[in-house]
Amino acid sequence: MRTEKQPPETPELRRAATGWRRAVPPLLIALVVAPLVAGGLLSAAAPARAAEKTEVPPILDRELFFGDPEISGAQLSPDGRFISFIKPYKGTRNLWVKRTEQPFDAAKPVTADTLRPIRISFWSWDSKYLLYVQDRAGDENFHVYALNPAEAPAAGQDVPTARDLTDLKNVRAQLYAVPKALPDTIYVGLNDRDAAWHDLYKVNLTTGARTLLRKNADRVTRWIFDLQGQLRLATRAAENGDTEVLRVDADGFKKVYTCNVSETCAPVRFHKDGRRVYMETNKGDDVDLSRLVLFDAQGGKEELVESDPMKRVDFGNALFSEKTDELVGTSYEDDRQRYAWREPSYAADFAALTKQLPGKDLAVVSATRDDRLWLVAASSDTEPGETHLYDRKAKKLTLQYRIHEKLPRQHLASMQVVHYPSSDGLQIPGYLTLPKGVEPKKLPLVLLVHGGPWGRDSWGYDSIAQFLANRGYAVLQPNFRASTGYGKKFVLAGNREWGQKMQDDLTWGVKYLVAQGTADARRVGIMGGSYGGYATLAGVAFTPDVYAAGVSIVGPSNLITLLESIPPYWESIRKLFAERMGDPSTPEGKAQLERQSPLHSAAQIKTPLLVVQGANDPRVKRAESDQIVVALRERNFPVEYLVAPDEGHGFARPVNNLALFASAERFLAKHLGGRYQEGMPPEVAQRLKEITVDVKTVERPKRVAAAAVGTPKPVADLKAGTDVYPIRMEIAGRTLDLKSTTEIKQEGNTWVIKDSTQTPGGEVLDVATLDKATLTLRRRTVKQGPLTIELDFNEGKVSGQVEVAGKKQPVAADLGGALFADGAGAFHSVGALPLAAGYTTTFRNFDLRKQKASLKQLRVVGIEKVTVQAGVFDAFKVEIDSAEGDPGKVTVWIAKTLRKPVKIIASVPEQGGAVVTSELGK
């Protein structure tokens, strides 16, 4: 049986909501069933449940919560002959394989990664290859690897060779399909050509050969295949934020379904008839909860399959038979998980499993092709997870292993469901974990805030909540407005409410527990990662009297800089961010985001703060943590800071997690009065020392005040003529040779400059009109294939339009001043400045992708002799980079006599780290 899950919003948003929270398999890292009363909720008027009549448990070693599990992540091979699983090897979680009938101690390792734990793996349909995904040091440039477990290791190696199927530098692979009908094939997306969009490739598992099937020039976010492995549909992110479902025909795309930026619609899986597709959608003004439908992409007919029978939550998962490909059941995540079975034999099997594993939530994590063998995960609030092998024919259930076997379950605390009203009366669902053996009166409280924010917390084992409860804290995990799963209205209630009503939802949770007598108002802490890190910073900045301690993990402190620095492959959801967070390109949106940024209220912080960051985080850059730390340091306000050089958006390596929670545990104990484990292993103590940052050494991220930036004054005139520049582009180990021509003409009181670049995809034309006296930009036109950009610049503002394949989108922004050295002939304009050793200046450009002004810093770093095709020149060496701390740099050599560029070297992070070199030709 296979689970097909529609993402909460889009595939990228689902990844955006995946961060730091649950590092213990098989529970997914989430930033993203036993009711207490009828309906599954504890009303706001009800008192907290009395503590269980047991003794206070001992302090449990933090390694039991955050160390490597002995065994985790098991997967059945489709033929049922093997079980793969994850287990430490040479100090790092790696893949192991055993025959299904063998004991686990008979298994052999098949990977030997010593740098980063493997967390996700799966079998090819013919059971020949084991595949897994892995990034480097948390950079989220995931690659797909394949290995043959039956292959003998090479000489001197302990394990078979794993082949990187997507071996391109600075490229993020997206896995689209592993078709059962084509067991030697997978379909992946690679953003090597354009960092923002993934082209579609077919990859042969045996040979590793990659075949480009589709260039992505249409803002495609996902490619959808039928059960025979044939490309049938795609989803596209329209410029206005709409999601479009496209039918892929021989002659191109045809739009067949659309939902707006406030709605969800996405294909789940093709029906076995090959004509219809299952989709999850909440399209419609009068629709709140998402539903499962069958949609005919040819005729356009939509028929309802199912929505929540209890009318409480969004559609959850669709469950399909591996043998018949029939829809056999569905699941819904309410206060607890619940199933709705459509096929009697599955209902009977789950009833039998529930009887044998009472009180636990069950899930089939993998199954054989004939659906006879299931690997069943059973978990609860006090059970991290058991994995059982279930033989459906023999009706035999066999325990395989328990995650964190050494963790004493009898000392873990129960999790209860709570609902409470927020500031405007909206009911907020959540979960409360109370320390075991302690009367629930005047307890220290930790508000544990999930990330996303478009995700949710769930009932079940939570390592952080259990760890904190063991230390004596009550732990509240609210599903504040904007959390997913509770309907469209609940999500949209969070629009543009970061730090406002969303923060109220947290504050009123504290008030609720204080009013009940459960929490001590003087001992309340707040902790979270990603959005939860933001909520921590917002809590101590906007409601400083509520909290006595805060732990912010990879949390953004400035929403403007957060949106400016999102990864290029999130371009498809930029409009969604603008709608849900706020639009920084408008004056009112920018003012709102600045008001909601904790950095701008740092002077109000009086709560002790621990800040944690991964140095390689591609989502929340290190600058977000650096700048709040600097702001507090400059007030002489104490702040603690951890930075792991080998982590990204959350910590994956156990030694880093152990160091983090050792520090957080000590910090919370100091300020809230909970219990604390004094000792730690030497390697953890050493790691904590290594990642602890002396805040005196933290530098403020480089930014220049836009209001102080003017326009540099040229001292020389441009010269009419034509220059040819051969270009070499190096990207991901490949080299591409191009040619560009710059033509300069005078027309009245302006210079008209045309840059024409010949590429394999056709000509790229950039035409700039400059004021003759100031060389400031008046007009710019860019043409590339179906794309045309036409912009006018006047009095510090830009107006115009972007047209793609006949679709037009207006452009309008206040730039704050004139633009210099922008567009065609930019470096010829630089040559007209009063260049000399040590000369510096700052000027504005216009970022076409972000549609906002960007500030550039120019420095003359010396004079060098440069040899190019056109000859040998004495040249000013000029470096130009962002004055706002953004990546990327250009070095240009301006000939002293010609006053024109003779050599240019540019690094282009948004193009996968490409390095572009151009030289003046003969």
Side-chain angles (χ1 to χ4, degrees):
M1 182 170 60
R2 172 160 295 196
T3 299
E4 298 287 346
K5 170 61 182 171
Q6 157 62 23
E9 303 300 331
T10 68
E12 285 299 337
L13 267 187
R14 178 172 52 180
R15 284 183 286 276
T18 301
W20 68 287
R21 279 293 307 282
R22 294 177 178 174
V24 182
L27 299 172
L28 294 177
I29 306 170
L31 292 178
V32 238
V33 207
L36 298 174
V37 295
L41 53 89
L42 178 68
S43 72
R49 184 175 61 185
E52 300 168 26
K53 301 298 182 180
T54 60
E55 294 183 357
V56 176
I59 292 179
L60 300 178
D61 194 309
R62 67 181 70 89
E63 188 162 359
L64 294 172
F65 297 100
F66 305 114
D68 272 328
E70 296 84 355
I71 299 174
S72 61
Q75 295 284 309
L76 269 168
S77 63
D79 62 9
R81 297 170 59 207
F82 301 100
I83 292 178
S84 64
F85 58 95
I86 298 170
K87 175 183 175 180
Y89 179 63
K90 294 187 176 181
T92 304
R93 292 199 298 274
N94 275 283
L95 291 174
W96 297 63
V97 171
K98 73 177 188 73
R99 288 192 171 274
T100 302
E101 67 277 6
Q102 289 180 321
F104 279 83
D105 57 12
K108 64 176 183 179
V110 291
T111 65
D113 194 325
T114 59
L115 298 177
R116 195 157 182 83
I118 293 174
R119 293 176 286 176
I120 301 173
S121 66
F122 54 96
W123 288 88
S124 63
W125 277 107
D126 58 6
S127 302
K128 182 177 180 181
Y129 296 107
L130 193 56
L131 298 101
Y132 64 97
V133 296
Q134 186 72 297
D135 68 348
R136 294 177 62 86
D139 64 3
E140 297 191 11
N141 285 324
F142 294 103
H143 288 207
V144 181
Y145 295 83
L147 63 91
N148 181 353
E151 184 179 279
Q157 301 295 317
D158 298 334
V159 297
T161 299
R163 294 174 291 120
D164 186 351
L165 300 176
T166 55
D167 55 340
L168 298 172
K169 188 177 181 181
N170 297 318
V171 167
R172 175 188 176 99
Q174 288 186 347
L175 186 64
Y176 293 123
V178 185
K180 187 189 303 186
L182 303 172
D184 203 31
T185 296
I186 61 172
Y187 294 105
V188 300
L190 298 174
N191 60 341
D192 56 327
R193 183 184 56 83
D194 184 339
W197 305 101
H198 287 69
D199 296 332
L200 175 62
Y201 285 83
K202 179 179 181 180
V203 180
N204 184 283
L205 296 181
T206 297
T207 66
R210 288 193 301 267
T211 304
L212 176 63
L213 299 182
R214 296 266 179 165
K215 282 188 177 181
N216 186 355
D218 299 281
R219 299 177 61 90
V220 170
T221 57
R222 186 179 164 208
W223 306 91
I224 297 98
F225 296 78
D226 63 19
L227 300 185
Q228 300 306 310
Q230 301 303 307
L231 179 62
R232 301 287 299 281
L233 298 174
T235 58
R236 175 166 61 196
E239 295 280 357
N240 65 354
D242 287 356
T243 297
E244 299 175 348
V245 180
L246 311 174
R247 192 178 70 219
V248 182
D249 295 334
D251 57 350
F253 296 128
K254 179 176 177 55
K255 182 167 61 177
V256 294
Y257 199 95
T258 304
C259 57
N260 65 38
V261 70
S262 298
E263 300 170 330
T264 294
C265 58
V268 174
R269 168 181 169 138
F270 260 88
H271 190 278
K272 62 186 297 183
D273 64 15
R275 179 172 55 86
R276 296 172 295 168
V277 63
Y278 289 98
M279 289 211 311
E280 183 181 354
T281 178
N282 60 9
K283 180 178 180 177
D285 294 339
D286 58 344
V287 175
D288 184 25
L289 301 179
S290 68
R291 60 197 184 274
L292 183 68
V293 303
L294 267 173
F295 177 71
D296 186 338
Q298 294 293 329
K301 181 181 178 182
E302 176 184 327
E303 54 186 293
L304 176 67
V305 176
E306 188 177 287
S307 58
D308 181 13
M310 297 181 67
K311 303 186 186 306
R312 288 169 52 90
V313 295
D314 286 326
F315 177 78
N317 289 321
L319 311 171
F320 292 88
S321 166
E322 298 284 27
K323 183 178 181 179
T324 67
D325 290 318
E326 294 283 356
L327 177 68
V328 296
T330 54
S331 67
Y332 297 87
E333 188 169 17
D334 201 334
D335 291 337
R336 285 186 63 172
Q337 187 86 358
R338 48 186 167 83
Y339 289 93
W341 294 104
R342 306 170 71 87
E343 208 285 328
S345 67
Y346 289 79
D349 281 328
F350 251 71
L353 290 170
T354 301
K355 187 175 181 179
Q356 295 182 68
L357 301 168
K360 296 182 174 65
D361 283 352
L362 307 180
V364 177
V365 295
S366 72
T368 52
R369 278 194 304 258
D370 60 6
D371 242 349
R372 173 177 173 175
L373 296 180
W374 288 353
L375 274 181
V376 178
S379 62
S380 72
D381 52 350
T382 59
E383 174 52 64
E386 303 170 349
T387 296
H388 299 260
L389 182 66
Y390 181 58
D391 187 325
R392 298 183 66 211
K393 184 176 181 179
K395 306 301 180 186
K396 181 181 179 182
L397 186 69
T398 307
L399 176 66
Q400 301 296 294
Y401 61 86
R402 302 169 83 197
I403 293 176
H404 288 294
E405 178 69 37
K406 297 177 182 178
L407 182 65
R409 274 64 168 169
Q410 71 274 17
H411 294 318
L412 299 182
S414 299
M415 175 184 281
Q416 56 185 284
V417 178
V418 294
H419 284 207
Y420 60 85
S422 187
S423 57
D424 57 358
L426 183 67
Q427 287 291 310
I428 306 302
Y431 300 94
L432 177 64
T433 303
L434 296 172
K436 195 168 185 178
V438 179
E439 186 178 3
K441 299 292 184 183
K442 296 287 185 179
L443 295 171
L445 169 68
V446 175
L447 199 65
L448 190 56
V449 187
H450 71 70
W454 307 292
R456 62 161 290 173
D457 273 317
S458 306
W459 186 89
Y461 176 79
D462 186 295
S463 57
I464 301 174
Q466 289 292 341
F467 171 70
L468 293 172
N470 180 259
R471 273 32 176 182
Y473 303 103
V475 183
L476 178 64
Q477 297 172 266
N479 281 323
F480 46 86
R481 72 190 71 202
S483 299
T484 54
Y486 299 99
K488 183 166 56 180
K489 294 178 182 177
F490 196 79
V491 170
L492 299 183
N495 278 9
R496 309 196 179 200
E497 292 291 346
W498 285 42
Q500 298 176 166
K501 288 184 179 178
M502 288 169 69
Q503 200 69 28
D504 280 356
D505 296 348
L506 310 181
T507 306
W508 261 251
V510 174
K511 291 182 177 183
Y512 161 61
L513 291 178
V514 169
Q516 297 301 320
T518 304
D520 182 348
R522 298 168 302 173
R523 295 190 294 160
V524 178
I526 183 169
M527 177 179 183
S530 196
Y531 176 83
Y534 163 82
T536 297
L537 297 177
V540 300
F542 304 148
T543 55
D545 294 324
V546 174
Y547 301 105
V551 180
S552 172
I553 303 174
V554 296
S557 62
N558 184 334
L559 299 184
I560 300 289
T561 54
L562 173 72
L563 290 174
E564 289 175 346
S565 61
I566 63 173
Y569 46 80
W570 281 6
E571 185 61 32
S572 62
I573 54 173
R574 183 177 294 277
K575 182 66 174 178
L576 186 63
F577 280 132
E579 289 291 320
R580 292 198 173 173
M581 291 180 63
D583 190 347
S585 68
T586 66
E588 59 275 15
K590 183 178 180 182
Q592 170 221 314
L593 291 166
E594 288 178 343
R595 183 178 68 250
Q596 295 170 333
S597 296
L599 180 66
H600 298 310
S601 296
Q604 300 182 67
I605 296 176
K606 58 183 181 181
T607 305
L609 187 63
L610 169 63
V611 177
V612 182
Q613 181 67 42
N616 306 312
D617 192 339
R619 311 183 198 182
V620 179
K621 302 291 197 300
R622 176 175 175 171
E624 293 297 321
S625 292
D626 282 352
Q627 58 195 354
I628 194 71
V629 168
V630 169
L632 294 175
R633 181 194 67 198
E634 291 180 349
R635 286 179 48 208
N636 292 318
F637 189 85
V639 58
E640 299 180 29
Y641 194 19
L642 306 179
V643 178
D646 52 352
E647 297 286 6
H649 196 63
F651 289 5
R653 297 187 63 209
V655 68
N656 289 331
N657 268 316
L658 290 167
L660 184 166
F661 286 105
S663 178
E665 177 184 5
R666 180 175 55 201
F667 177 83
L668 293 174
K670 177 181 177 181
H671 299 291
L672 302 183
R675 304 195 298 176
Y676 172 62
Q677 179 186 350
E678 292 288 345
M680 65 186 79
E683 63 273 15
V684 176
Q686 177 62 29
R687 191 56 176 164
L688 179 56
K689 182 179 179 180
E690 292 168 350
I691 68 175
T692 299
V693 176
D694 181 351
V695 298
K696 296 178 182 178
T697 66
V698 181
E699 296 182 2
R700 179 183 295 276
K702 182 176 61 175
R703 293 189 66 82
V704 174
V709 175
T711 304
K713 295 181 179 180
V715 296
D717 212 348
L718 299 184
K719 295 180 180 180
T722 301
D723 295 315
V724 176
Y725 292 88
I727 299 174
R728 170 156 293 189
M729 175 181 286
E730 297 176 278
I731 180 171
R734 296 182 298 172
T735 299
L736 183 65
D737 290 322
L738 309 169
K739 185 176 74 170
S740 180
T741 301
T742 298
E743 180 183 354
I744 303 176
K745 293 181 179 180
Q746 182 179 344
E747 294 185 3
N749 293 325
T750 65
W751 292 105
V752 178
I753 308 177
K754 180 171 69 174
D755 282 350
S756 174
T757 305
Q758 304 301 322
T759 76
E763 181 185 48
V764 178
L765 187 65
D766 191 345
V767 181
T769 301
L770 309 181
D771 182 273
K772 189 172 185 300
T774 64
L775 301 186
T776 55
L777 186 61
R778 289 188 179 181
R779 189 175 300 110
R780 187 179 181 189
T781 300
V782 178
K783 294 184 178 181
Q784 179 179 7
L787 169 70
T788 299
I789 303 173
E790 295 181 332
L791 303 173
D792 288 304
F793 301 88
N794 186 35
E795 296 182 349
K797 297 181 179 180
V798 58
S799 61
Q801 67 179 20
V802 176
E803 181 176 350
V804 183
K807 293 184 178 180
K808 298 178 181 180
Q809 179 182 356
V811 175
D814 188 340
L815 305 176
L819 306 184
F820 180 82
D822 200 4
F827 301 122
H828 285 73
S829 296
V830 169
L833 294 176
L835 303 179
Y839 172 80
T840 65
T841 188
T842 305
F843 51 86
R844 286 179 177 81
N845 278 181
F846 180 62
D847 189 320
L848 290 172
R849 183 171 62 88
K850 298 179 181 179
Q851 295 191 17
K852 62 179 289 292
S854 61
L855 303 184
K856 301 297 182 182
Q857 181 78 49
L858 179 151
R859 298 173 300 277
V860 178
V861 296
I863 300 174
E864 294 182 352
K865 191 175 291 292
V866 180
T867 303
V868 296
Q869 292 183 22
V872 180
F873 301 91
D874 289 325
F876 296 107
K877 183 179 180 181
V878 180
E879 291 183 350
I880 304 172
D881 58 11
S882 170
E884 301 170 290
D886 294 331
K889 184 175 77 171
V890 177
T891 303
V892 55
W893 285 262
I894 305 291
K896 294 176 67 175
T897 54
L898 298 179
R899 286 281 173 174
K900 69 171 62 174
V902 292
K903 184 177 180 180
I904 305 164
I905 299 178
S907 62
V908 192
E910 63 268 24
Q911 291 292 335
V915 176
V916 181
T917 302
S918 58
E919 298 181 353
L920 182 63
K922 296 179 180 179

